[in-house]
Amino acid sequence: MNEARHRLRQLAGFALLLALAAPASAQLPPRLTAGSVADQLDAARQRLAGQPAAAATAQQLQALAQNLRGALANQLAQPLTALDDRTRGLVLRAHAAAQLAADFADSTGGCREGEAASMAKALALSVRQLAQAPAEGKPMQATIDRVETADHAALFALRTKDKPVALALVGSELHDPQCPDPQLTATDANGTPLSVQPHITNVLPTRIEFEWPGTAALAAGSYLLHARPQHKAFLVGCSAQPEATVAVQVVPAPKFTVGYALDAVCGRAAPRTVPLGKGTLPPLDGYGATVTQAIDTSGCADPVAYRISATITYADGASAKAGPFEQSADANATVGLPGGLSLSWDPAVRQLFVRSGAPMCKGVR
């Protein structure tokens, strides 16, 4: 009896060791196949249609889908757990590319052309990194599907800030709970590590939360976040696995400069246009800011209406024109400007107001 119990303990211990040595399949995205990922790539490519800044990425997605269907023609319906390490990595990286493109399409609403172009640069670099990653026969094929903000919104471009920025990488196979935290490194687009590195605040198999300090010192351009997890294998311990990489575009901190022209339509019997003021208001630094400008209206004693035109210049050097807008002289005039700004004219106090509201572009923070 004692011998039988001893053998049962040996078998139980051996089974536990095998379980610890096996890849952590619970970290993988559920119900993925090479065929379903190819379909995801097709859908994402179609969503990028009509966006010139993302045209090259759309072609890259098409190539990835064709590669899956060609290289895995006999395995398109097989689940990830049935694929070898190299093939599983190929499918997971293609899935990440499709997810990033879908997030880009969801995030561009309300974005100015320059903001969408910055986001498209980050997307293109991320997808290119995924497509060019070498196939490796490692148990953990880490991938990053998105960069998230603290409110779980997808991020493609980051405005420079003086305070640390709380972000997260979301994906698959990002951490083995039996091993130390993954290595997280920030580099420029050429792979040179930055002088100030992010530090991890929390880690899960599908999520790495971190703070990125010192972004105010970064020049505008493309940057890469590299996550390299470890995996524990039987009799080997924890060893480094292939890294996952995602791109973020850094853009200048928000700043708006508004030029204005205000005219009055004077006289009801014989209306004439009288220029009242033209110039540039003080810059608005950031969102939720307001600037004002007093206007001398003595040049028109009997106004019928007011006309306002505006030119907005953004931190990235882009500009946009709005107006002219005409409003009855008996009421205040408030109009929306591109980029989430508003311009108001109050004839009662003879003041022009410009306010920067909340950010309109979801993919830029």
Side-chain angles (χ1 to χ4, degrees):
M1 178 67 72
N2 289 336
E3 183 179 352
R5 289 178 178 173
H6 179 66
R7 291 183 63 82
L8 285 173
R9 290 193 187 99
Q10 285 182 320
L11 290 172
F14 184 66
L16 178 60
L17 287 173
L18 287 177
L20 292 176
S25 59
Q27 300 179 23
L28 297 174
R31 297 181 298 277
L32 280 186
T33 65
S36 68
V37 171
D39 292 340
Q40 290 175 1
L41 289 165
D42 289 341
R45 176 175 56 83
Q46 291 172 2
R47 296 191 64 190
L48 297 184
Q51 300 199 40
T57 300
Q59 294 178 356
Q60 186 82 71
L61 298 180
Q62 183 177 19
L64 286 171
Q66 291 173 344
N67 183 40
L68 284 181
R69 293 187 175 109
L72 305 176
N74 298 324
Q75 298 174 287
L76 291 177
Q78 292 185 6
L80 292 180
T81 51
L83 304 177
D84 61 46
D85 293 337
R86 289 174 177 267
T87 305
R88 187 171 67 252
L90 177 68
V91 176
L92 283 172
R93 288 190 294 274
H95 169 69
Q99 290 292 104
L100 285 163
D103 277 339
F104 173 85
D106 288 338
S107 304
T108 51
C111 298
R112 295 184 295 105
E113 183 178 350
E115 292 171 325
S118 294
M119 291 169 57
K121 289 179 181 178
L123 173 65
L125 182 53
S126 292
V127 172
R128 188 160 63 248
Q129 292 286 321
L130 289 164
Q132 295 175 353
E136 299 191 45
K138 295 284 189 176
M140 289 184 70
Q141 297 284 345
T143 55
I144 299 170
D145 299 344
R146 61 160 34 184
V147 182
E148 277 191 353
T149 58
D151 58 355
H152 302 287
L155 173 80
F156 290 90
L158 179 67
R159 296 184 177 95
T160 54
K161 296 177 176 64
D162 292 326
K163 297 181 179 179
V165 182
L167 300 172
L169 305 179
V170 180
S172 61
E173 308 279 26
L174 294 176
H175 175 55
D176 185 338
Q178 302 176 87
C179 295
D181 287 352
Q183 181 183 7
L184 180 61
T185 308
T187 72
D188 62 18
N190 297 318
T192 303
L194 304 182
S195 59
V196 179
Q197 290 292 321
H199 61 271
I200 294 175
T201 57
N202 190 33
V203 62
L204 296 168
T206 58
R207 185 179 181 86
I208 299 174
E209 297 176 356
F210 64 97
E211 283 191 345
W212 194 357
T215 60
L218 296 177
S222 299
Y223 295 86
L224 293 169
L225 293 167
H226 309 256
R228 182 180 289 275
Q230 297 188 48
H231 173 66
K232 187 172 184 180
F234 179 49
L235 299 179
V236 177
C238 294
S239 60
Q241 300 295 298
E243 74 174 19
T245 307
V246 70
V248 173
Q249 192 77 8
V250 170
V251 297
K255 184 175 183 178
F256 312 94
T257 303
V258 178
Y260 69 93
L262 177 65
D263 297 333
V265 178
C266 296
R268 295 184 180 278
R272 67 191 189 282
T273 299
V274 176
L276 296 181
K278 184 176 183 179
T280 302
L281 280 80
L284 296 99
D285 293 316
Y287 293 98
T290 302
V291 294
T292 63
Q293 177 68 51
I295 303 293
D296 181 5
T297 61
S298 60
C300 178
D302 54 345
V304 176
Y306 293 100
R307 294 195 189 105
I308 307 173
S309 299
T311 301
I312 310 95
T313 303
Y314 306 94
D316 59 6
S319 63
K321 294 183 181 297
F325 307 101
E326 185 167 317
Q327 178 69 32
S328 169
D330 299 328
N332 294 349
T334 299
V335 294
L337 303 178
L341 281 71
S342 63
L343 182 149
S344 300
W345 163 242
D346 187 342
V349 296
R350 300 183 296 279
Q351 292 274 354
L352 197 63
F353 301 85
V354 176
R355 177 176 175 79
S356 55
M360 300 292 289
C361 183
K362 297 178 181 178
V364 182
R365 293 296 180 95

